[in-house]
């Protein structure tokens, strides 16, 4: 058969560092295609010549048989003259730079093949803490510049040994063209920071410390983790003490999926994600009789679980050349001082973790971009993102509605992420953190510069929040003046709604009813918004309503201490009757008389007192009133515990209903259900959802719209979300909600980017 057809292909997507070129090479040989494949930095270019039938198969199979870790976003195919492909074999051409949309692969968890080699005594990578291949290993975190080649990664410092080089250059090897490939001979090494032990001695030492009830800091893929035995009450309490973190849940890593299933209920859908190559932390319902001590995730029905994703994690659990017996579950929490970004360098770790960890294990492969662990909940059997980072960032969100310009959206103040956008592709960054800490602000600047360089983007406009005193806005203004580009300020809750619309790829001219139930954000009227109903499109919004404004007296302290908000709400409900206010606050054990007086004084004299419609603060206040949580030790604690109380009531109620049909002992069940605070917590959720649904439905009718978008941090509360969504759907409305972009402030960079793009 003659080779009489020829094509020129451009393939866009995650096609770098995932074995795409060798795959194309093999496929071409299989189908008797001649020509070439080249990595162009932002895309893969193929020249192909062959017989018509072969070419059809080749084209189809590029999509259907593409390497597991690749993501093809677009293929441009152009027919060319067979004379333009003047070769009689197929070959891989070395990298050359060319401009275009750039895709950087996220980091990928250790694959099964590498995992079995890791424990194969006869393999030359036996117990190698950095084993990887074309389908697994670090990517974003070791990147310096495109195109993705070894010298432009942190592995450039580690020349390959002959054996590794042979595999790297052999198309038949599963390490062909794998940039981080290395072995015990030529790869990076682990060592104890400021100690003598290296290699296996270092690993043994860390295992011993953990098994003996100590705390270790371990450098992984995207930063350091603090690690301890999750089945040891004492060490978990000690970690909380040293980290100054009294109740915020810790994530855990289990030895394997079986251990995860012993600790928590793992639905099939969550199992696939838990075992998948992104390896996020998945929030799963705790199981009775699990070994994780209650101090790991107190006041919470769920616990965040992840499986090992780097060789070093596997070696912590199983190290055949060491007899230390390790637990099946380890606390694995970000190694950072509260508020600061995750530690990335030895200096960071020494300074920040030296007083927390009994031992620090580091290694000499540099982390260039931090990557915290991704956290996701499950809702309606689908992932519901809480923190989008390692494994997901910097994959772009694709949007049909777009314009031709380049945008940098700097994001919000809490849970900061930023977003770069160009040509309908929006790249939300990995998690940066809370900008109240100067180190986090520095990390934002540094990471934004790095990503701009990596994705080769120079923004035409920079978007930020409207808040005049946000650090994020200050960073945006600095960058805008340096680059000489305009800045646009986007209202916080409008940005939330836009991020939800963008994630759902809403059409360019569509308008929706936006419901933003959130913590706080600066409103266009200078007050603190947070429970907003709006008519919104990509081009603007109009506020239709909100939670009834209340007095927020006591500034930042009142954002942590819900009893303060509650005291002023009661004062207002009593129409300024101080005596009645005192009686009620006293009966609720809300605060002392002096404390309540102080709150009323601030309100009366307009001292440190603003007006707010924040849904987050309303939840805090209700949590305090019910005696569930008077004050939070971390953002969202009061609301989280209120949700937990409501879920307890819900499950007791379900139990009652199911048992009632068996006509069993009704008295006992009624007693169980009579935990008043829990029942009221449930009642509050239900009523609040009803109010949301009724007002959104009324607004939709009045405005002539059929779609409601739900966003804002309060919708992390899946109980509230389910109650509201159900009612809205019953009212015949289309409900848009988040999936892989967080409803909290970690998602607003996307909304800001869309606003700037469409303006
Ligand atoms: Zn592998
Ligand atoms: Zn080697
Ligand atoms: Fe927010």
């Amino acid at each position: 058969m003659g080779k009489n057809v020829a094509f020129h292909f451009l393939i866009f997507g995650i096609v770098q560092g995932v074995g795409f070129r060798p795959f194309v090479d093999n496929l071409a040989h299989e189908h008797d295609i001649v020509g070439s494949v080249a990595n162009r930095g932002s895309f893969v270019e193929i020249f192909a010549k062959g017989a018509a039938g072969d070419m059809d198969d080749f084209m189809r199979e590029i999509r259907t048989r593409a390497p597991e870790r690749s993501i093809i976003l677009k293929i441009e195919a152009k027919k060319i003259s067979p004379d333009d492909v003047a070769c009689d074999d197929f070959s891989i051409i070395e990298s050359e730079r060319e401009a275009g949309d750039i895709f950087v692969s996220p980091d990928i968890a250790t694959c099964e093949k590498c995992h079995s080699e890791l424990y194969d005594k006869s393999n030359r990578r036996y117990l190698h803490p950095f084993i990887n291949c074309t389908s697994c290993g670090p990517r974003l975190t070791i990147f310096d510049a495109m195109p993705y080649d070894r010298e432009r990664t942190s592995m450039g410092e580690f020349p390959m040994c002959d054996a590794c080089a042979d595999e790297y250059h052999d198309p038949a090897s599963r390490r062909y063209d794998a940039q981080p490939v290395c072995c015990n001979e030529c790869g990076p090494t682990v060592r104890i920071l400021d100690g003598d032990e290296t290699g296996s001695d270092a690993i043994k030492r860390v295992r011993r410390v953990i098994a003996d009830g100590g705390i270790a800091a371990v450098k992984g893929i995207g930063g350091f983790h603090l690690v301890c035995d999750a089945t040891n009450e004492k060490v978990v309490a000690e970690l909380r003490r040293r980290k100054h973190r009294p109740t915020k849940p810790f994530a855990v890593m289990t030895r394997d999926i079986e251990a995860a299933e012993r600790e928590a209920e793992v639905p099939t859908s969550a199992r696939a994600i838990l075992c998948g190559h992104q390896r996020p932390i998945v929030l799963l319902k705790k199981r009775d009789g699990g070994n994780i001590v209650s101090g790991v995730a107190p006041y919470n029905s769920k616990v965040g679980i992840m499986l090992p994703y780097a060789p070093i994690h596997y070696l912590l659990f199983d190290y055949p050349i060491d007899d230390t017996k390790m637990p099946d579950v380890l606390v694995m929490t970000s190694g950072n001082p509260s508020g600061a970004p995750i530690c990335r360098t030895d200096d960071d770790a020494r300074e920040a973790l030296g007083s927390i960890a009994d031992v620090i294990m580091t290694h000499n492969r540099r982390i260039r971009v931090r990557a915290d662990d991704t956290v996701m909940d499950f809702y309606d059997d689908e992932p519901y993102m809480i923190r989008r980072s390692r494994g997901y960032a910097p994959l772009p969100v694709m949007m049909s509605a777009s314009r031709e310009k380049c945008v940098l959206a700097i994001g919000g103040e809490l849970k900061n992420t930023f977003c770069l956008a160009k040509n309908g592709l929006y790249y939300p960054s990995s998690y940066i953190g809370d900008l109240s800490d100067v180190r986090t602000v520095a990390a934002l600047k540094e990471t934004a510069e790095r990503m701009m360089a990596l994705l080769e983007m120079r923004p035409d406009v920079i978007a930020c929040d409207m808040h005049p005193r946000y650090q994020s806005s200050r960073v945006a203004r600095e960058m805008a003046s340096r680059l000489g580009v305009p800045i646009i300020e986007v209202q916080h809750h409008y940005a939330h709604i836009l991020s939800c619309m963008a994630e759902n790829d809403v059409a360019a001219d569509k308008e929706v009813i936006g419901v933003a139930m959130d913590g706080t954000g600066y409103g266009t009227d200078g007050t603190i918004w947070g429970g907003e109903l709006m008519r919104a499109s990509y081009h603007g919004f109009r506020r239709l309503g909100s939670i009834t404004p209340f007095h927020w007296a006591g500034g930042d302290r009142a954002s942590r201490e819900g009893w303060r908000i509650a005291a002023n709400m009661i004062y207002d409900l009593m129409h300024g009757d101080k005596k009645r206010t005192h009686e009620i606050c006293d009966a609720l054990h809300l605060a002392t008389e002096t404390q309540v007086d102080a709150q009323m004084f601030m309100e009366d004299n307009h001292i440190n007192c603003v007006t707010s419609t924040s849904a987050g603060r309303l939840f805090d206040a209700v949590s305090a009133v019910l005696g569930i949580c008077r004050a939070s030790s971390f953002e969202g604690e009061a609301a989280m515990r209120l949700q937990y109380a409501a879920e307890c009531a819900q499950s007791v109620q379900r139990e009652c209903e199911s048992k009632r049909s068996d006509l069993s002992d009704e008295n006992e069940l009624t007693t169980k259900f009579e935990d008043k605070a829990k029942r009221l917590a449930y009642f509050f959720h239900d009523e609040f959802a009803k109010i949301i649904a009724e007002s959104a439905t009324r607004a939709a009718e009045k405005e002539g719209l059929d779609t409601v978008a739900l966003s804002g941090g309060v919708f992390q509360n899946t109980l509230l979300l389910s109650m509201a969504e159900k009612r809205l759907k019953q009212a015949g409305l289309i409900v848009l909600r988040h999936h892989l972009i967080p409803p909290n402030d970690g998602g607003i960079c996307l909304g800001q980017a869309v606003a700037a793009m469409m303006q």
Side-chain angles (χ1 to χ4, degrees):
M1 232 182 338
K3 292 183 171 48
N4 47 15
V5 284
F7 272 91
H8 175 226
F9 300 102
L10 299 182
I11 302 181
F12 300 85
I14 303 290
V15 286
Q16 302 231 347
V18 287
F20 205 84
R21 287 181 299 166
F23 151 72
V24 172
D25 185 53
N26 285 331
L27 198 63
H29 282 103
E30 228 176 89
H31 293 296
D32 201 18
I33 300 278
V34 300
S36 63
V37 56
N39 206 339
R40 295 300 183 196
S42 53
F43 54 88
V44 163
E45 180 178 46
I46 303 170
F47 285 95
K49 180 165 74 173
D54 288 335
M55 187 62 79
D56 289 345
D57 293 342
F58 178 70
M59 279 165 79
R60 190 182 57 250
E61 289 173 21
I62 285 179
R63 269 192 192 279
T64 57
R65 287 173 55 190
E68 219 183 329
R69 305 293 182 250
S70 66
I71 299 173
I72 297 177
L73 292 171
K74 188 173 70 171
I75 300 182
E76 281 176 19
K78 200 171 82 196
K79 205 162 183 175
I80 53 172
S81 155
D83 300 338
D84 292 346
V85 185
C87 42
D88 42 25
D89 196 5
F90 197 88
S91 58
I92 296 179
I93 298 175
E94 275 317 302
S95 298
E96 264 175 64
R97 271 312 275 113
E98 254 171 72
D101 294 331
I102 291 176
F103 303 96
V104 178
S105 171
D107 304 294
I108 308 165
T110 303
C111 72
E112 264 171 50
K113 282 181 186 151
C114 285
H115 178 252
S116 46
E117 284 185 10
L118 182 63
Y119 289 104
D120 174 1
K121 253 186 199 160
S122 64
N123 193 283
R124 65 190 192 83
R125 293 189 181 84
Y126 180 52
L127 304 183
H128 180 45
F130 301 90
I131 189 169
N132 68 80
C133 72
T134 308
S135 13
C136 77
R139 297 288 186 269
L140 169 70
T141 52
I142 60 165
F143 245 117
D144 201 28
M146 292 298 272
Y148 179 66
D149 277 337
R150 190 179 183 98
E151 63 267 31
R152 282 173 283 258
T153 73
S154 300
M155 290 304 291
E157 298 161 34
F158 302 94
M160 280 181 277
C161 67
D162 289 347
C164 283
D166 284 350
E167 287 176 85
Y168 179 85
H169 293 293
D170 173 10
S173 155
R174 55 182 205 87
R175 293 197 170 83
Y176 180 43
D177 204 31
Q179 307 311 333
V181 66
C182 59
C183 70
N184 284 312
E185 285 296 304
C186 65
T189 46
V190 295
R191 67 187 169 88
I192 299 298
L193 190 64
D194 303 327
D196 300 327
E197 298 95 332
T198 61
S200 60
D201 291 338
I203 295 173
K204 286 178 187 169
R205 162 110 185 258
V206 165
R207 287 168 50 92
R208 209 174 318 124
V209 167
I210 296 169
D212 288 347
I215 298 166
V218 176
K219 182 175 171 182
I221 299 291
F224 282 80
H225 279 116
L226 285 164
V227 189
C228 72
D229 181 351
T231 65
N232 178 333
E233 193 85 60
K234 226 171 107 195
V235 70
V236 171
E238 182 61 17
L239 177 59
R240 291 206 172 280
R241 196 185 63 78
R242 291 190 202 167
K243 222 184 168 220
H244 307 294
R245 181 162 151 165
T247 49
K248 191 176 179 186
F250 287 135
V252 299
M253 182 177 276
T254 60
R255 183 186 294 271
D256 46 30
I257 183 69
E258 288 75 27
E261 285 174 328
R262 283 194 293 276
E263 299 297 334
E265 291 171 22
V266 186
T268 319
S269 49
R271 196 181 203 273
I273 297 279
L274 202 57
C275 299
H277 62 83
Q278 293 100 340
R279 293 283 154 106
I281 295 168
V282 180
L283 303 183
L284 295 165
K285 204 150 182 280
K286 291 179 203 165
R287 215 186 255 291
D288 290 340
N291 290 319
I292 299 175
V293 298
S294 60
V296 166
Y299 312 113
N300 209 312
S301 58
K302 293 183 175 179
V303 58
I305 297 184
M306 65 181 147
L307 295 184
Y309 59 83
I312 191 72
H313 300 148
Y314 286 108
L315 299 179
L316 286 181
F317 285 107
D318 294 296
Y319 205 43
I321 56 170
D322 179 21
D323 344 306
T324 305
K325 200 180 168 310
M326 295 293 284
D328 282 347
V329 201
L330 298 175
V331 166
M332 274 271 173
T333 186
S334 296
N336 58 336
S338 273
I342 189 167
C343 294
R344 182 179 59 137
T345 64
D346 290 352
D347 286 344
D348 290 350
R350 200 177 276 123
E351 194 195 315
L353 309 178
S355 59
I356 303 175
D358 300 310
V359 64
I360 300 177
M361 183 165 73
T362 184
H363 58 69
N364 55 350
R365 185 176 66 200
R366 274 195 290 159
I367 297 172
R368 296 185 190 250
V369 179
R370 288 179 191 82
D372 279 78
D373 296 314
T374 288
V375 183
M376 61 169 61
D377 202 345
F378 260 73
Y379 177 78
D380 202 10
D381 231 20
E382 281 177 34
Y384 191 56
M385 196 63 91
I386 303 295
R387 178 169 80 195
R388 182 185 187 272
S389 204
R390 181 186 49 74
Y392 293 87
L395 281 181
V397 174
M398 285 204 287
M399 252 185 81
S400 331
S402 195
R403 297 252 168 90
E404 264 189 38
K405 59 177 150 179
C406 176
V407 171
L408 166 64
I410 210 75
E413 201 72 351
L414 294 174
K415 303 182 174 71
N416 177 273
T417 58
F418 60 89
C419 180
L420 280 157
K422 204 170 91 179
N423 300 341
L425 295 168
Y426 293 73
Y427 302 77
S429 72
S430 49
Y431 179 81
I432 307 290
D434 294 346
L435 299 180
S436 52
D437 191 297
V438 287
R439 290 167 288 193
T440 316
V441 178
L444 167 60
K445 287 185 200 168
E446 177 201 315
T447 315
E449 295 288 351
R450 175 165 287 276
M451 290 310 292
M452 275 157 60
L454 207 53
L455 297 172
E456 287 167 1
M457 289 197 197
R458 191 195 170 280
D460 303 307
V461 56
I462 296 183
C464 69
D465 197 272
M466 285 180 86
H467 199 296
R469 286 182 305 278
Y470 268 7
Q471 291 299 325
S472 52
S473 308
R474 198 173 53 76
V475 171
R477 282 192 292 269
E478 272 170 28
M479 292 179 84
S481 79
R482 195 165 40 76
L483 294 168
V485 300
I487 197 150
I488 90 151
E489 294 180 345
V490 186
Q491 200 281 323
H492 188 99
H493 302 103
Y494 175 46
H496 271 301
I497 297 302
L498 284 178
S499 75
C500 181
M501 292 170 69
E503 181 178 13
N504 288 284
D505 201 14
V506 167
D509 51 356
K510 177 122 181 147
E511 291 188 84
V512 305
I513 298 295
V515 179
M517 289 300 150
D518 197 34
T520 55
Y522 194 78
T524 51
D525 59 1
T527 70
I528 308 292
W529 291 7
E532 309 306 311
L533 188 68
M534 63 178 77
R535 179 186 178 117
S537 75
Y538 291 134
H539 311 283
F541 78 101
R542 183 159 53 84
R543 194 186 195 198
L544 300 174
S546 73
I547 286 178
T548 310
F550 54 84
H551 289 101
W552 171 330
D556 280 348
R557 296 191 71 176
S559 67
R560 292 187 301 270
E561 300 175 0
W563 68 265
R564 291 176 187 268
I565 304 284
N568 289 92
M569 280 181 171
I570 293 166
Y571 188 37
D572 290 348
L573 283 171
M574 294 303 114
H575 306 289
D577 182 337
K578 290 199 165 63
K579 190 166 164 279
R580 282 290 290 146
T581 305
H582 273 303
E583 281 167 13
I584 295 170
C585 289
D586 192 51
L588 292 169
H589 304 291
L590 211 52
T592 65
E593 207 173 307
T594 330
Q595 286 175 323
V596 175
D597 274 334
Q599 287 304 118
M600 295 190 296
F601 180 82
M602 283 190 275
E603 182 176 328
D604 289 344
N605 296 283
H606 310 287
I607 297 166
N608 203 7
C609 182
V610 290
T611 301
S612 177
T613 55
S614 164
R617 293 302 84 78
L618 174 63
F619 271 69
D620 292 352
V622 172
S623 196
V625 164
L626 296 182
I628 290 165
C629 182
R630 258 184 94 244
S632 298
S633 69
F634 63 92
E635 196 238 332
E637 179 179 11
M640 182 192 90
R641 287 168 67 174
L642 187 67
Q643 178 187 348
Y644 177 53
E647 283 167 350
C648 290
Q650 186 187 36
S651 62
V652 173
Q653 190 185 18
R654 280 193 185 143
E655 205 182 316
C656 288
E657 280 163 5
S658 71
K659 291 216 177 151
R660 202 160 282 158
S661 57
D662 305 341
L663 295 169
S664 71
D665 184 0
E666 205 170 301
N667 268 341
E668 179 210 344
L669 289 164
T670 319
T671 328
K672 247 177 152 178
F673 191 52
E674 288 218 334
D675 190 333
K676 209 165 166 189
K678 288 178 182 164
R679 223 170 18 146
L680 286 171
Y682 182 83
F683 176 75
F684 170 71
H685 275 78
D686 198 42
E687 282 299 306
F688 193 63
K690 201 188 282 173
I691 293 168
I692 289 173
E694 281 170 5
S695 43
T697 307
R698 231 176 300 130
E701 270 167 25
K702 197 158 155 249
E703 301 288 323
L705 301 175
D706 61 0
T707 305
V708 177
L710 305 177
S711 189
V714 171
F715 279 119
Q716 253 173 250
N717 182 327
T718 47
L719 176 63
L720 178 72
L721 176 63
S722 66
M723 288 169 159
E725 189 186 28
K726 199 172 132 200
R727 285 201 166 89
L728 287 164
K729 282 185 172 163
Q730 276 166 359
L733 289 161
I734 299 164
V735 181
L736 304 178
R737 59 160 179 94
H738 286 283
H739 301 264
L740 290 176
I741 295 293
N744 59 47
D745 286 5
I748 66 169
C749 64
L750 177 61
Q752 290 175 353
V754 173
M757 184 67 80
M758 303 306 274
Q759 197 182 53

